């Protein structure tokens, strides 16, 4: 499709796929430029569109799993694989730049499957707050601007810091009052973030449909929450590809877990792992003679920036269910 055809095509898939591709090309150029300029000891390049596109386009990649005809899938059948090819081409450009003795790891934090294939690890519905109706209902539409990124909404109050603090307090209270009559739980999760902004997301345990009670009276959930069916879901099997002087060639890792990545990558970088890490160094894929084994340190926690969100304070059951929904736990 040419640029003009893309701009004229009214299907959301066309512009969605085009935007993700443009984002990848820009990020690739920028990443390559930064690497050339600084040649750091450690460098990470994150490709996020594989996830975004898989959520939306998996049904065109595996049309049979969704009862879609090949014909119907044809216009977008290549969107996901084409994106992977582009990401692979960028990886190739990086590999050409890197010194011979560089360790390269290609990793993913999860895999993908058709919703049924991904078994329990399914996220069938994607929910996002409808920001304009939400601030209108709260009666603050003239005092804020709103925006959305992926499944999160953002509110930026106008005015000075004091007015914005008052408004933030009011709006968070309002959000807390938007509840499902079924279980009386808040539907939204709101929190102040940097620059006086408020971030809003839909709680994972929010009911998919129904009438909500709000401080401004009952409102249908779909008026405040956009619900989109997902065409593909995270599965717990991700990928790990390793190359480098300390890596055993042509070796398949028999079994590993996501938690093993961090200690293994630290070890390959010549940095000790920490005793309080859940994973282990994947020794069987490394060449022992090329890497001296380092004693673990007790913890790196003191190096972490202070988090404004402490997971330890969250309800462990809810946290577990969220991680399961995201495909990180079975
Ligand atoms: Zn995802």
């Amino acid at each position: 499709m040419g640029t003009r055809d893309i701009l004229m095509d009214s299907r959301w898939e066309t512009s969605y796929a085009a935007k993700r591709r443009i984002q990848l090309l820009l990020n690739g150029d920028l990443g390559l430029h930064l690497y050339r300029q600084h040649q750091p000891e450690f460098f990470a390049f994150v490709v996020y569109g594989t996830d975004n596109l898989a959520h939306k386009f998996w049904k065109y990649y595996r049309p049979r799993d969704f009862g879609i005809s090949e014909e119907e899938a044809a216009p977008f059948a290549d969107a996901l694989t084409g994106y992977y090819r582009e990401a692979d081409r960028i990886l190739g450009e990086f590999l050409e730049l890197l010194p011979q003795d560089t360790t390269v790891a290609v990793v993913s934090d999860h895999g993908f499957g058709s919703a049924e294939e991904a078994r329990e690890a399914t996220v069938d519905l994607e929910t996002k707050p409808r920001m304009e109706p939400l601030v209108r209902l709260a009666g603050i539409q003239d005092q804020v601007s709103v925006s959305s990124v992926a499944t999160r909404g953002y509110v930026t109050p106008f005015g000075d810091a004091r007015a914005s603090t008052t408004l933030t307090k009011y709006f968070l209270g309002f959000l807390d009052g938007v509840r499902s009559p079924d279980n009386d739980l808040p539907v939204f999760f709101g929190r102040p973030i940097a620059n006086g902004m408020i971030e809003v997301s839909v709680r994972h345990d929010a009911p998919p449909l129904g009438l909500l009670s709000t401080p401004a009276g009952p409102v249908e959930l779909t008026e405040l929450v956009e619900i989109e069916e997902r065409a593909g879901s995270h599965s717990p099997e991700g990928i790990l590809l390793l190359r480098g002087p300390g890596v055993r060639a042509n070796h398949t890792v028999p079994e590993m877990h996501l938690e093993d990545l961090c200690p293994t990558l630290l070890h390959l970088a010549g940095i000790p792992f920490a005793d309080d890490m859940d994973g282990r160094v994947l020794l069987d894929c490394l060449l022992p003679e090329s890497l001296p084994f380092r004693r673990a340190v007790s913890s790196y926690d003191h190096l972490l920036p202070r988090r404004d969100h402490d997971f330890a304070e969250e309800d462990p059951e809810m946290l577990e269910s969220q991680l399961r929904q995201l495909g990180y736990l079975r």
Side-chain angles (χ1 to χ4, degrees):
M1 240 190 227
T3 314
R4 200 185 142 73
D5 299 329
I6 292 172
L7 291 171
M8 297 304 285
D9 194 328
S10 62
R11 287 172 296 191
W12 68 264
E13 288 97 335
T14 307
S15 61
Y16 189 90
K19 280 185 205 159
R20 294 284 88 79
R21 196 180 130 83
I22 291 165
Q23 183 186 44
L24 175 64
L25 296 179
L26 288 173
N27 287 350
D29 277 359
L30 188 63
L32 286 160
H33 173 76
L34 285 171
Y35 183 82
R36 275 192 205 101
Q37 201 165 45
H38 300 285
Q39 310 204 346
E41 265 185 72
F42 179 86
F43 186 82
F45 182 73
V46 180
V47 174
Y48 207 77
T50 44
D51 181 80
N52 302 145
L53 282 171
H55 278 299
K56 313 274 187 200
F57 290 73
W58 196 264
K59 62 179 173 215
Y60 302 124
Y61 170 62
R62 288 276 172 83
R64 255 191 248 156
D65 293 351
F66 297 86
I68 295 172
S69 70
E70 303 268 329
E71 230 175 5
E72 205 183 320
F76 304 110
D78 197 41
L80 181 60
T81 43
Y83 187 97
Y84 267 94
R85 269 195 299 276
E86 200 67 58
D88 198 45
R89 186 191 57 74
I90 294 171
L91 173 63
E93 284 195 45
F94 273 111
L95 292 179
E96 274 176 33
L97 284 181
L98 301 174
Q100 268 302 306
D101 60 349
T102 309
T103 301
V104 182
V106 179
V107 302
S108 75
D109 60 340
H110 57 73
F112 243 85
S114 306
E116 307 88 275
E117 280 175 14
R119 296 178 305 269
E120 312 102 276
T122 54
V123 184
D124 298 315
L125 299 172
E126 184 178 271
T127 51
K128 47 183 131 181
R130 293 186 193 274
M131 294 313 292
E132 269 159 33
L134 199 55
V135 296
R136 222 179 301 129
L137 190 70
I140 56 165
Q141 70 274 25
D142 299 331
Q143 302 164 60
V144 298
S145 69
V146 293
S147 59
S148 294
V149 178
T151 57
R152 277 146 210 256
Y154 297 91
V155 176
T156 312
F158 302 145
D160 60 19
R162 229 181 65 195
S164 132
T165 311
T166 316
L167 191 129
T168 300
K169 219 172 136 190
Y170 162 75
F171 185 61
L172 291 178
F174 181 90
L175 278 184
D176 192 58
V178 180
R179 287 169 182 250
S180 143
D182 288 358
N183 52 12
D184 198 39
L185 284 173
V187 171
F188 298 103
F189 177 67
R191 62 179 190 126
I193 54 166
N195 306 325
M197 289 166 83
I198 308 162
E199 186 187 76
V200 183
S201 52
V202 180
R203 293 172 67 111
H204 285 274
D205 51 358
L209 290 170
L211 208 61
L212 305 175
S213 65
T214 85
V219 176
E220 196 63 46
L221 179 122
T222 47
E223 282 181 36
L224 302 179
V225 177
E226 196 181 322
I227 301 173
E228 196 182 291
E229 228 174 275
R230 288 193 166 194
S233 295
H234 297 175
S235 75
E237 279 90 33
I239 56 165
L240 167 65
L241 303 170
L242 280 175
R243 187 190 93 168
V247 179
R248 247 170 94 182
N250 304 314
H251 176 69
T252 306
V253 187
E255 204 202 337
M256 66 161 292
H257 299 277
L258 190 57
E259 300 87 330
D260 302 334
L261 272 182
C262 184
T264 304
L265 294 181
L266 283 174
H267 182 69
L268 279 166
I271 299 168
F273 60 95
D275 272 336
D276 64 349
M277 288 177 170
D278 290 327
R280 66 191 175 95
V281 177
L282 296 168
L283 288 173
D284 59 316
C285 44
L286 308 178
L287 295 171
E289 64 276 13
S290 66
L291 286 165
F293 203 81
R294 282 161 206 275
R295 274 174 69 92
V297 298
S298 61
S299 177
Y300 284 116
D301 277 4
H302 62 284
L303 297 175
L304 292 172
R306 258 179 66 88
R307 281 179 299 200
D308 53 356
H309 182 80
D310 189 356
F311 287 102
E313 275 171 23
E314 269 198 36
D315 175 8
E317 247 169 64
M318 203 170 100
L319 196 61
E320 205 180 301
S321 112
Q322 282 183 12
L323 288 171
R324 185 162 292 124
Q325 281 192 332
L326 285 167
Y328 293 118
L329 288 174
R330 279 175 198 274

